[in-house]
Amino acid sequence: ENPRATLNHSQPKKDSGSVVACHYATREWIAVSWRSGVIYKIESAARPAENSSWIAPGIVDLQINGYAGVDFQHDGLSEAEFLKACRGLRRAGCARFLLTLITDHWERLLARLSYLREVRARSAELSSAIAGWHIEGPFLSPEVGFKGAHNAAVMRDATEADLRELRAVTGRDVEPRDRRARRRSAGP
């Protein structure tokens, strides 16, 4: 029950309004009211005759490689393509996610990450949706059973220099609007 939670729902966006739905955890009927896209009141409500809606917090997914036909591993994706994926994820209940890049040549992966950061920085909507980065390689074991679908030819052990380069590309990676630190993860 965060009174400052931002509304992300699949119904048409309205500046203000309310909805009555069943709470996902308590199974109690509640009314949620919002103004300017910000929830300001949550209270108990009677079950409406025709309502079968549920309400739950948005999902945070720690590994999204793409969505709605958009593959984040492809170079040169447009802002419109990223927005298509983010909006599709939001409609499916995913409010925020770690954009995932998989094993590739190190220089190509760094260039892709740098480009993605630039695109995200230009869009408040993308900045809100992309919580950070999950870099899934090339620092994985190339052995059968561990490499999965990753290209073993470009896998390698991480060096301190690699980590410094990754840090240089992601910078402090803090969103200026609210100074929340972004997340980075590397697997495994």
Side-chain angles (χ1 to χ4, degrees), residues 98-99 113 116-117 120 132-135 173 183-185:
L98 295 183
L99 188 145
L113 179 58
L116 293 171
R117 260 189 99 222
R120 183 190 70 185
W133 318 102
H134 176 77
I135 309 304
D173 213 0
R183 282 100 178 136
R184 286 176 295 276
S185 70

Side-chain angles (χ1 to χ4, degrees), residues 112-130:
R112 189 175 294 129
L113 179 58
S114 180
Y115 173 76
L116 293 171
R117 260 189 99 222
E118 290 171 17
V119 173
R120 183 190 70 185
R122 291 192 303 258
S123 167
E125 188 174 353
L126 291 174
S127 291
S128 172
I130 301 170

Side-chain angles (χ1 to χ4, degrees), residues 57-147:
I59 295 167
V60 176
D61 196 316
L62 302 180
Q63 181 181 350
I64 297 286
N65 298 78
Y67 196 81
V70 178
D71 182 350
F72 298 147
Q73 196 71 14
H74 287 4
D75 291 324
L77 293 172
S78 68
E79 183 175 326
E81 289 170 303
F82 284 115
L83 286 168
K84 176 184 174 189
C86 290
R87 289 171 181 163
L89 284 161
R90 282 206 169 134
R91 279 190 301 277
C94 181
R96 301 194 84 201
F97 64 94
L98 295 183
L99 188 145
T100 301
L101 295 176
I102 64 168
T103 298
D104 204 340
H105 294 278
W106 184 238
E107 296 76 21
R108 189 178 303 156
L109 190 128
L110 289 177
R112 189 175 294 129
L113 179 58
S114 180
Y115 173 76
L116 293 171
R117 260 189 99 222
E118 290 171 17
V119 173
R120 183 190 70 185
R122 291 192 303 258
S123 167
E125 188 174 353
L126 291 174
S127 291
S128 172
I130 301 170
W133 318 102
H134 176 77
I135 309 304
E136 208 172 73
F139 313 127
L140 302 171
S141 172
E143 294 182 28
V144 175
F146 294 97
K147 71 175 187 75

Side-chain angles (χ1 to χ4, degrees), residues 7 14-19 32-38 40-41:
L7 215 53
K14 300 177 192 172
D15 284 340
S16 62
S18 65
V19 63
V32 178
S33 302
W34 67 91
R35 279 190 212 115
S36 301
V38 176
Y40 71 90
K41 182 169 55 171

